[in-house]
Amino acid sequence: MVPRSLFVICACLTVAFALPALPVLPSGYAPIAATCPATPLVRPATGISSGESSYLASRKAKASTALSAWLEKTNSGFGTTNLPTVALTTSGGGYRSLLSGAGVIQGFDSRDSNVGTSGVYQGLTYQAGLSGGAWLLSSFAGNNYPTISSLKNNLWKPAFQDSLLLPDNLLAATAYAAVTNDILAKEAAGFPPTLTDPWGRLLSYQLLYGTDGGVSTRLSSISTFSNYTTNNVPFPIITSLGVKTFQGECLPGPNATTYELTPLEFGSFDQGVSAFTQTAYLGTALSNGVPSNGTCIMNYDNLGYVLGTSSNLFNEACESVPTASNSSVLDDDLAAIVNAAHALSTRDEYAVYPNPFHNYARSTLVEAQTSLTLVDGGEALQNNPIFPLLQPSRGVNVIIVNDNSADTSTNFPNGSEILTTYVQSLNAGLTRMPFIPSVATFISEGLNKRPTFFGCNDTSKITIVYLPNVNYTFPSNEPTAKLQYSEAETEGMVDNGIQIATMGGSATWPTCLGCAIMMKAGDALPTACTTCFSTYCYTG
């Protein structure tokens, strides 16, 4: 996730140009009118969609074949008759989490590494990201799932070294002018932008290929990419939190609605919303699931806006209206871009979506609202996007949780985020989350410094393989505020992430990871699993 004190941090960033008074040029960022689909635009959240179910069936078959091959390669003692559904999550944590999480993926990806864990990625059925983890997932999926090595060498290294978010960047003036035009075009189309718009647009320049920072790439576009249509990749989920601004709140509470953003749908299983709409038609004015004027909208689901939504912390300024001044700091420049479109208000501190659940009786919390206000998925201290994977209809059996949170003064995780998820899962009636111990226990037993298996002895619970950020070969506890990485730093962070995936290259870890994945499958396990469980299972 982006640092809590975003406005303070951004105050050190300058941009040396003045916004020109330009006419609004055509932009692929602006939402457009479109013919409505024949299928319903809103459905009740009684389970996963037919589209996701269809994808899941095909993906699980491929994942099971790949998982079986990896297990048999790792240790011939594994039975592979009953293979579980496995998911991977990457936490918030800005570029620190993006790069560490990227290394974990590379260490799991048989296309891109030759280590003991290579092949695990091919065995995944779901993948979820939040804030910095959403940046990673968006860059990976939004570019049709190239290898991490390819992204690192061809996009990230130059982009992170010459970040558009930093002062004195020679390319910044051109990019900011293009972004300004995008924001003005959205306003002209009848959709007032907010600070999330330029924020997401500038991030896209770091994360997506294509003209104007991949401006034509939408979240729903991913469903048309070749690796998705051939079911070669896990189903992607990005999360964000809703804020009840209509009740006078400016921050999400502990039980804030978790919204899911996928290539197919936007919505929530949470009580009070309990509905989904088609992602491709986000932006459409709906009343009880029916277009208010008979016309639908497309292009609102710009992928940059989505990844900006999941990392939006502008609301932490709370009651203060953002200002556009001549101080030349980044937050002021973002405000100035939006101010070129309209006078600023506290609304501009949120990612705003026309409410697809307006007058939808099932959505009791938000049915009276014409818009939804979303923020960083980790603001309520759930920095790991686990909630969507606890839904019974998804049938997830194992979640590999890569936690790159900065909970301690030294920017390492301490278990507090996953503990909050456990507590809130109980409050939400999601019964499959295994017990998570206190922060004091995490620290005293070193659970935040090595892999841990949660839920080992309870077949009614999902098994969680907890992989915290550990500095094996590189100081991976970089501040979340760090917005520039040299090419050497990017390389070092990703390489350290591979070490997180392999537990520092441990010869026994791949078998132990396999033991965690297969412990409840009912198949034969290698004798080595006894030692693995004794070493890594948290038993309380």
Side-chain angles (χ1 to χ4, degrees), residues 390-475:
L390 301 177
Q391 296 299 328
S393 57
R394 290 199 163 108
V396 175
N397 306 110
V398 180
I399 308 175
I400 301 172
V401 176
N402 175 213
D403 189 356
N404 303 304
S405 302
D407 301 319
T408 70
S409 60
T410 53
N411 300 322
F412 285 112
N414 66 6
S416 58
E417 310 286 346
I418 193 171
L419 173 60
T420 300
T421 299
Y422 169 66
V423 172
Q424 292 305 319
S425 72
L426 297 179
N427 294 337
L430 296 171
T431 61
R432 303 186 68 218
M433 179 85 177
F435 175 78
I436 303 296
S438 68
V439 171
T441 298
F442 256 87
I443 294 173
S444 66
E445 297 192 14
L447 306 182
N448 61 329
K449 295 183 178 180
R450 62 171 178 82
T452 303
F453 306 156
F454 295 106
C456 290
N457 299 318
D458 191 341
T459 57
S460 69
K461 306 297 184 185
I462 289 173
T463 300
I464 287 182
V465 178
Y466 183 72
L467 297 182
N469 178 23
V470 177
N471 54 339
Y472 287 100
T473 58
F474 191 83

Side-chain angles (χ1 to χ4, degrees), residues 245-495:
T245 53
F246 50 89
Q247 294 182 0
E249 297 181 7
C250 56
L251 299 171
N255 63 342
T257 301
T258 296
Y259 285 94
E260 302 179 11
L261 300 100
T262 80
L264 303 182
E265 291 192 311
F266 166 90
S268 180
F269 283 99
D270 290 3
Q271 185 177 5
V273 176
S274 191
F276 287 89
T277 190
Q278 295 185 43
T279 300
Y281 298 97
L282 273 173
T284 302
L286 298 175
S287 178
N288 194 25
V290 178
S292 300
N293 57 9
T295 301
C296 284
I297 296 296
M298 298 186 76
N299 283 6
Y300 201 94
D301 64 319
N302 176 274
L303 186 55
Y305 189 64
V306 169
L307 65 90
T309 296
S310 186
S311 59
N312 176 61
L313 283 172
F314 296 105
N315 64 303
E316 294 198 346
C318 227
E319 299 299 333
S320 301
V321 176
T323 61
S325 67
N326 295 319
S327 60
S328 296
V329 296
L330 178 60
D331 56 318
D332 284 339
D333 283 313
L334 296 179
I337 291 172
V338 176
N339 193 56
H342 61 249
L344 294 164
S345 70
T346 54
R347 174 188 182 275
D348 292 308
E349 296 169 354
Y350 302 89
V352 177
Y353 290 74
N355 182 13
F357 316 117
H358 180 53
N359 290 332
Y360 192 64
R362 186 181 180 91
S363 302
T364 55
L365 178 65
V366 298
E367 64 173 324
Q369 311 309 315
T370 57
S371 62
L372 303 175
T373 46
L374 274 60
V375 297
D376 188 297
E379 275 199 37
L381 301 181
Q382 289 193 63
N383 204 28
N384 298 288
I386 295 171
F387 248 46
L389 305 172
L390 301 177
Q391 296 299 328
S393 57
R394 290 199 163 108
V396 175
N397 306 110
V398 180
I399 308 175
I400 301 172
V401 176
N402 175 213
D403 189 356
N404 303 304
S405 302
D407 301 319
T408 70
S409 60
T410 53
N411 300 322
F412 285 112
N414 66 6
S416 58
E417 310 286 346
I418 193 171
L419 173 60
T420 300
T421 299
Y422 169 66
V423 172
Q424 292 305 319
S425 72
L426 297 179
N427 294 337
L430 296 171
T431 61
R432 303 186 68 218
M433 179 85 177
F435 175 78
I436 303 296
S438 68
V439 171
T441 298
F442 256 87
I443 294 173
S444 66
E445 297 192 14
L447 306 182
N448 61 329
K449 295 183 178 180
R450 62 171 178 82
T452 303
F453 306 156
F454 295 106
C456 290
N457 299 318
D458 191 341
T459 57
S460 69
K461 306 297 184 185
I462 289 173
T463 300
I464 287 182
V465 178
Y466 183 72
L467 297 182
N469 178 23
V470 177
N471 54 339
Y472 287 100
T473 58
F474 191 83
S476 57
N477 56 327
E478 296 282 7
T480 312
K482 185 179 173 71
L483 296 175
Q484 181 181 39
Y485 283 77
S486 69
E487 293 194 0
E489 288 173 322
T490 294
E491 186 82 34
M493 288 289 290
V494 173
D495 285 348

Side-chain angles (χ1 to χ4, degrees), residues 83-286:
L83 292 161
T85 297
V86 185
L88 171 68
T89 70
T90 307
S91 74
Y95 287 117
R96 178 189 62 252
S97 186
L98 182 153
L99 293 170
S100 293
V104 170
I105 291 175
Q106 184 174 349
F108 284 167
D109 190 346
S110 61
R111 303 173 303 166
D112 201 23
S113 61
N114 184 25
V115 293
T117 53
S118 300
V120 172
Y121 187 82
Q122 280 65 35
L124 300 176
T125 300
Y126 283 100
Q127 183 177 6
L130 176 160
S131 198
W135 298 354
L136 169 60
L137 182 52
S138 295
S139 191
F140 200 38
N143 293 305
N144 193 22
Y145 296 91
T147 62
I148 293 298
S149 292
S150 172
L151 281 172
K152 177 188 68 178
N153 293 323
N154 299 320
L155 179 59
W156 295 344
K157 279 185 175 180
F160 297 169
Q161 180 163 271
D162 301 316
S163 174
L164 295 181
L165 302 177
L166 290 172
D168 304 322
N169 187 305
L170 296 179
L171 300 177
T174 300
Y176 272 82
V179 167
T180 299
N181 185 74
D182 293 335
I183 271 55
L184 291 173
K186 185 173 182 178
E187 175 85 17
F191 298 90
T194 72
L195 292 170
T196 304
D197 288 276
W199 171 243
R201 292 273 53 247
L202 291 173
L203 284 168
S204 294
Y205 273 82
Q206 328 295 308
L207 303 174
L208 299 174
Y209 291 114
T211 304
D212 188 16
V215 71
S216 64
T217 305
R218 295 172 287 116
L219 178 58
S220 56
S221 300
I222 294 170
S223 66
T224 69
F225 293 168
S226 60
N227 273 313
Y228 182 98
T229 59
T230 53
N231 309 108
N232 284 333
V233 291
F235 188 78
I237 303 172
I238 291 171
T239 64
S240 182
L241 292 178
V243 179
K244 292 178 280 192
T245 53
F246 50 89
Q247 294 182 0
E249 297 181 7
C250 56
L251 299 171
N255 63 342
T257 301
T258 296
Y259 285 94
E260 302 179 11
L261 300 100
T262 80
L264 303 182
E265 291 192 311
F266 166 90
S268 180
F269 283 99
D270 290 3
Q271 185 177 5
V273 176
S274 191
F276 287 89
T277 190
Q278 295 185 43
T279 300
Y281 298 97
L282 273 173
T284 302
L286 298 175

